Amino acid sequence: MRVLRIAFQAVFLVAVVGFLLYLIDNVIYNLERLGFPTGFDYLSQQAGFAIPDSDFRSTQSLGDALIVGFQNTLKVSLLGIVLATILGVVIGVARLSTNWLVRRGAALYVETFRNIPVLLIILFWYLGVIIRLPPIRDAVELLDVIAISNRGIVVPWFDKIGAGVAFGLIALVAVVAAVAVWFWRTRRFDRTGEPHRRLLWSGGVLLLLLTVGYVLGGRPWTVDTPEVGALSTSGGFRLAPEYAALLVALALYTASHIAEIVRGSILSVPRGQSEAADAVGLSGFQRLRHVVLPQAFRISIPPISNQYLNLAKNSSLGVAISYYEATKVTQVSIAQSAPAVQAIVLLMGIYLSISLSIALVTNLVNRRLTLKGRR
Amino acid sequence: MATQIDTLEPIPEPERPPARRKLSPREWMRENLFGSTLDSILTVVFGLLLAWVVYRVGRFVFVDARWEVVERNITNLMVGGFPREELWRLWAALFVLAAVLGFGAGAIGVQRRREVREGRAKPLGKGGVRRLGPLILLVGVLLWFASSVEALLLVLAISAVGVVTNLLGRRTPQRVERYVPLLVLAGVVVAFLVVTAFGGVGWSRWGGFLLTIFLAVAAILLSFPFGVLLALGRRSTFPAVRAVCVAYIELFRGVPLITILFMAFFMIGFFLPEGVSAPSLVARAIIGFVLFTAAYVAEIVRGGLQSVPTGQIEAAQALGLSPFRITMRIVLPQALRAVIPGLVGQFISLYKDTSLVFILGLTELLAVAQNITKQPDFLAQGLFVETLVFASLIYWTGSYWMSRESQRLERRLGLGER
């Protein structure tokens, strides 16, 4: 019987591997036949295209272009994840509010964004909003510090004007001190039961020392506010229109999914917990913060990490609005006669590595948070 | 009143929760909108925000927007480049589908409807016309844009056919219920043949909304057996089989759909031996969607397989059934029944994901929406927002309706109740 099992598996493997080899063989044959290179050496060729909003020159290699694309993917994914989570949690909790208007408004938001394809949302934000913003001359200035025009959104940013060494050292000391204060307050709480307020203490110490360091270090940073000129803006930090559109669209879309997950996870906390919290005398907000949300958080981690993964994968739709993330770079490379097979395989490899990283982090967090005695 | 047979005592009525007092409008507002100071502030702020949004949207839809581009291109949006002289085939196919689906909808709920009537089961929610709300909205909007009496009459006739067959279906005896899925499938095949066979229009010439639906339906149908096989393979006791299945599933779930479509579009030619011509664009899109969907279907079905109690398998083994028989007769029917809502969810995602072929040049709904803004009459007027909103409406109503039906189905199957 065992021999049969092993024999069957051997045959199966041979069939699968044989099929894959046949495909690869065809690929190599066709590549050679059509004059394409078959290795990955094409990556050192000149790119022949420039990437906007970066220092990438068209004389740099295709490999470098792909790296810049990968960085852009990460830029939009990471910030998108942060924004989507904040918005999603707020709306998810709003869905359960006692206020009818808030509840219905949140439901309206979720039902709208969940049922429309991401691509349409991205196109809408890019072609319907960002492009229609006023040109630079008539840029809208929010609160006099943020400039919005069809060339992008410019926000104030830090500008380094002095040597930051002294400040850097003091900043390091500040961080260490903050961590030490955190542990001190936690230990004190364990001993005496007084509220630790460690966030306030740590944060306060950090801010205090950073301010001291800033002053003593000779004020090495200033805040650079954007100046609106006739043809362009100077100063500040510019979010390109493509980036802004993609970011906003992804955040809004993913937030609607996260809101549903948050709502589901809050609802799945047994009602007895809320009732017990009420019986003990906690206010509504305390009940949320100390009883419901921690338990809901644990339940919601796998689905939410799945949404993070979806956001990273949906960033590939930047190709539709010419945001130069990995997929767009690949598409342009193929148009510049890079071999399609290798380019797409590399692209898939990039996304697989992102998936794997997110899955690893999720597993780690999950393992640390699972209750004893449950899988 | 019914009585228990052996003791002739009345069956106790099930306990109902205490009835809630109906609140007058003023009381309701006080409780739900102005319950506390914070509540009142929220209501005011939110109310203003919502009112502003509604105003802006309403102003856009009814006043500012120039819908002419949609009106003149409604046929384009619906069927793309489908030859206009063969459109009657599509209408005929719609009649067939209405008949079959109406009958199926009527026949399927026979037992349940009887139970609800006799008070033995709870109704699932608003029935009848309210269920079709989003669809009616969509059809209404489409008809309004079409502004053709002919179209209106045809739609009314199709609806009439649907209603009549529904009533017929409700009258059928319950044992017909088993064959309804088969009947629906046969109807779909007949409708497909009406359009394509006998000098009809092959699916590589379809476009617009028709192509969207075709891609989604073809992908889910073709990926289904593939996905089930992958799910079974993933649970196999052979490590080699399991490794291969896991590798496939993780690969195709870990990459974005657009990369798989790129692969299907650009790489398929390279995989084929010399002399075999590359498949058409639509075929490549379907291949890409099938490869992608199969991995997701596999994960969904795997969940269903895990939910079948092992006692079932052990009992079947005790009875001496072969592994094949066990899988086919015992495990799969229960597993698939459990994951129907999940599969519907996947279909909804697929319905929305077909918009991605826009990037590759296929003329489905979104691509047509963009192309018509490039017509000489409408060029460079920024009309893409209008067409985009129209396309969004179509996607939204389809998706929303299917989600609602899926939730109903979940409640009916009693899933998700612990």
Side-chain angles (χ1 to χ4, degrees), chain A residues 34-217:
Chain A
L34 294 167
F36 285 110
T38 52
F40 285 93
D41 303 327
Y42 76 94
L43 283 173
S44 43
Q45 282 173 11
Q46 270 197 10
F49 60 89
I51 297 183
D53 292 315
S54 79
D55 299 321
F56 186 80
R57 300 270 157 267
S58 59
T59 46
Q60 288 177 260
S61 71
L62 281 174
D64 286 341
L66 198 57
I67 292 181
V68 173
F70 179 54
Q71 285 171 341
N72 281 340
T73 298
L74 288 181
K75 275 204 311 199
V76 79
S77 302
L78 290 175
L79 191 53
I81 285 177
V82 169
L83 291 176
T85 312
I86 297 175
L87 188 60
V89 169
V90 165
I91 295 186
V93 173
R95 274 273 256 157
L96 299 165
S97 163
T98 44
N99 187 318
W100 180 87
L101 205 59
V102 170
R103 213 166 53 223
R104 287 297 186 178
L108 183 70
Y109 173 92
V110 169
E111 284 307 321
T112 309
F113 281 95
R114 271 208 325 166
N115 291 310
I116 300 185
V118 198
L119 187 54
L120 265 82
I121 303 179
I122 294 175
L123 286 174
F124 176 75
W125 277 97
Y126 185 62
L127 295 166
V129 177
I130 301 273
I131 295 264
R132 290 181 174 207
L133 286 174
I136 283 275
R137 276 168 292 140
D138 309 320
V140 172
E141 293 202 58
L142 267 189
L143 305 167
D144 272 345
V145 288
I146 301 181
I148 303 182
S149 71
N150 66 358
R151 292 275 302 280
I153 303 177
V154 195
V155 296
W157 198 244
F158 299 108
D159 200 26
K160 197 155 107 100
I161 53 173
V165 178
F167 177 74
L169 286 175
I170 299 192
L172 213 58
V173 171
V175 170
V176 170
V179 170
V181 164
W182 180 282
F183 281 117
W184 166 61
R185 295 298 303 186
T186 312
R187 203 117 40 92
R188 184 150 174 260
F189 170 69
D190 287 337
R191 243 177 337 128
T192 65
E194 279 180 31
H196 49 62
R197 302 198 205 283
R198 53 190 181 188
L199 199 63
L200 283 172
W201 277 84
S202 273
V205 164
L206 188 68
L207 273 170
L208 189 66
L209 287 178
L210 280 178
T211 325
V212 167
Y214 179 73
V215 169
L216 288 183

Side-chain angles (χ1 to χ4, degrees), chain B residues 103 106-111 114 169-183:
Chain B
F103 183 80
I108 267 205
V110 168
Q111 183 186 22
R114 195 170 55 210
R170 288 181 190 223
R171 302 235 180 305
T172 57
Q174 203 198 319
R175 45 194 167 78
V176 178
E177 224 176 292
R178 285 190 57 189
Y179 301 105
V180 164
L182 213 59
L183 182 68

Side-chain angles (χ1 to χ4, degrees), chain B residues 198-217:
Chain B
F198 305 120
V201 184
W203 43 262
S204 44
R205 289 205 281 163
W206 296 3
F209 184 43
L210 177 65
L211 184 59
T212 299
I213 301 254
F214 174 65
L215 285 174
V217 171

Side-chain angles (χ1 to χ4, degrees), chain B residues 85-378:
Chain B
E85 63 274 9
E86 304 281 346
L87 276 180
W88 61 270
R89 290 178 183 267
L90 283 180
W91 289 110
L94 277 178
F95 272 100
V96 170
L97 284 174
V100 161
L101 289 173
F103 183 80
I108 267 205
V110 168
Q111 183 186 22
R112 183 163 183 96
R113 246 174 258 123
R114 195 170 55 210
E115 284 177 6
V116 170
R117 248 199 332 261
E118 294 174 5
R120 279 186 282 139
K122 263 194 324 192
L124 284 167
K126 321 280 195 290
V129 177
R130 284 186 72 161
R131 269 174 76 175
L132 294 171
L135 278 189
I136 296 181
L137 170 71
L138 178 63
V139 172
V141 167
L142 289 177
L143 280 176
W144 187 83
F145 277 118
S147 353
S148 114
V149 179
E150 203 178 78
L152 178 64
L153 289 176
L154 279 169
V155 167
L156 285 176
I158 292 177
S159 318
V161 166
V163 167
V164 165
T165 49
N166 193 327
L167 293 174
L168 269 178
R170 288 181 190 223
R171 302 235 180 305
T172 57
Q174 203 198 319
R175 45 194 167 78
V176 178
E177 224 176 292
R178 285 190 57 189
Y179 301 105
V180 164
L182 213 59
L183 182 68
V184 170
L185 204 62
V188 169
V189 169
V190 167
F192 182 75
L193 287 175
V194 163
V195 181
T196 53
F198 305 120
V201 184
W203 43 262
S204 44
R205 289 205 281 163
W206 296 3
F209 184 43
L210 177 65
L211 184 59
T212 299
I213 301 254
F214 174 65
L215 285 174
V217 171
I220 198 83
L221 285 180
L222 290 175
S223 67
F224 183 69
F226 193 10
V228 170
L229 280 176
L230 277 173
L232 289 172
R234 195 183 164 148
R235 285 184 16 127
S236 161
T237 43
F238 297 119
V241 174
R242 189 160 54 207
V244 167
C245 291
V246 168
Y248 179 96
I249 293 175
E250 291 306 317
L251 172 67
F252 280 92
R253 268 168 50 105
V255 293
L257 176 56
I258 189 71
T259 50
I260 298 178
L261 288 176
F262 270 18
M263 184 178 81
F265 266 64
F266 295 121
M267 282 168 64
I268 275 220
F270 290 101
F271 285 129
L272 298 171
E274 193 173 5
V276 177
S277 60
S280 69
L281 287 188
V282 177
R284 286 186 224 183
I286 293 183
I287 291 176
F289 280 121
V290 167
L291 289 174
F292 175 79
T293 312
Y296 283 80
V297 167
E299 278 298 279
I300 294 172
V301 171
R302 180 171 86 115
L305 290 172
Q306 277 177 343
S307 74
V308 176
T310 41
Q312 299 274 326
I313 305 178
E314 290 167 359
Q317 285 168 340
L319 283 175
L321 295 176
S322 70
F324 178 73
R325 274 269 160 84
I326 296 179
T327 311
M328 290 292 292
R329 296 275 180 190
I330 309 283
V331 176
L332 269 188
Q334 295 185 60
L336 293 178
R337 207 186 112 107
V339 299
I340 290 179
L343 289 175
V344 172
Q346 187 59 34
F347 178 72
I348 297 175
S349 302
L350 199 51
Y351 172 69
K352 293 184 288 178
D353 286 338
T354 53
S355 54
L356 261 65
V357 296
F358 158 77
I359 298 178
L360 292 150
L362 273 187
T363 45
E364 48 68 63
L365 181 59
L366 186 55
V368 174
Q370 197 196 40
N371 287 342
I372 59 182
T373 60
K374 301 203 178 119
Q375 289 171 341
D377 279 344
F378 303 113

Side-chain angles (χ1 to χ4, degrees), chain A residues 8 26 82 124 131 135 140 174 185 209 222 234 246 258 276 291-292 316 333 338-339 358 362 365 373:
Chain A
F8 174 78
N26 273 345
V82 169
F124 176 75
I131 295 264
V140 172
R185 295 298 303 186
L209 287 178
T222 52
S234 57
L246 188 61
I258 291 184
V291 177
V292 177
S316 60
S333 308
I358 295 186
T362 309
V365 173

Side-chain angles (χ1 to χ4, degrees), chain A residues 4-6 8-10 12-13 16 22-24 26-31 33-34 36 94 97-106 108 111-121 123-125 127-129 132 253 257 268 306 309-310 312-314 316-317 319-320 327-328 330-331 334 340-342 344-345 347-349 351-352 355, chain B residues 28 31-34 38-40 42-44 46-48 50 54 60 66 237-242 244-245 250-260 262-263 266-267 269-275 292 296 348 351-353 355-359 366 370 381-386 388-389 391-393 395-397 399-400 403 407 418:
Chain A
L4 262 182
R5 284 173 60 88
I6 297 186
F8 174 78
Q9 286 181 73
F12 180 78
L13 272 180
V16 170
Y22 169 72
L23 287 180
I24 296 181
N26 273 345
V27 167
I28 296 187
Y29 174 69
N30 281 321
L31 279 176
R33 184 168 64 94
L34 294 167
F36 285 110
S97 163
T98 44
N99 187 318
W100 180 87
L101 205 59
V102 170
R103 213 166 53 223
R104 287 297 186 178
L108 183 70
E111 284 307 321
T112 309
F113 281 95
R114 271 208 325 166
N115 291 310
I116 300 185
V118 198
L119 187 54
L120 265 82
I121 303 179
L123 286 174
F124 176 75
W125 277 97
L127 295 166
V129 177
R132 290 181 174 207
Y253 177 78
H257 285 268
S268 66
N306 198 28
L309 188 57
N310 281 342
K313 291 193 289 179
N314 281 334
S316 60
L317 294 175
V319 70
T327 314
K328 175 70 181 174
T330 305
Q331 189 202 42
I334 293 180
V341 177
Q342 290 96 306
I344 295 179
V345 166
L347 184 65
M348 287 175 136
Y351 282 107
L352 273 179
S355 306
Chain B
W28 182 87
E31 188 177 307
N32 284 312
L33 294 178
F34 299 103
L38 180 65
D39 236 14
S40 313
L42 273 179
T43 303
V44 168
F46 230 72
L48 286 173
L50 271 176
V54 169
F60 172 77
R66 294 152 292 175
T237 43
F238 297 119
V241 174
R242 189 160 54 207
V244 167
C245 291
E250 291 306 317
L251 172 67
F252 280 92
R253 268 168 50 105
V255 293
L257 176 56
I258 189 71
T259 50
I260 298 178
F262 270 18
M263 184 178 81
F266 295 121
M267 282 168 64
F270 290 101
F271 285 129
L272 298 171
E274 193 173 5
F292 175 79
Y296 283 80
I348 297 175
Y351 172 69
K352 293 184 288 178
D353 286 338
S355 54
L356 261 65
V357 296
F358 158 77
I359 298 178
L366 186 55
Q370 197 196 40
Q381 291 177 39
L383 284 168
F384 192 31
V385 179
E386 276 87 345
L388 205 56
V389 167
S392 306
L393 179 72
Y395 280 113
W396 187 87
T397 42
S399 175
Y400 183 64
S403 320
Q407 282 166 5
R418 280 183 291 152

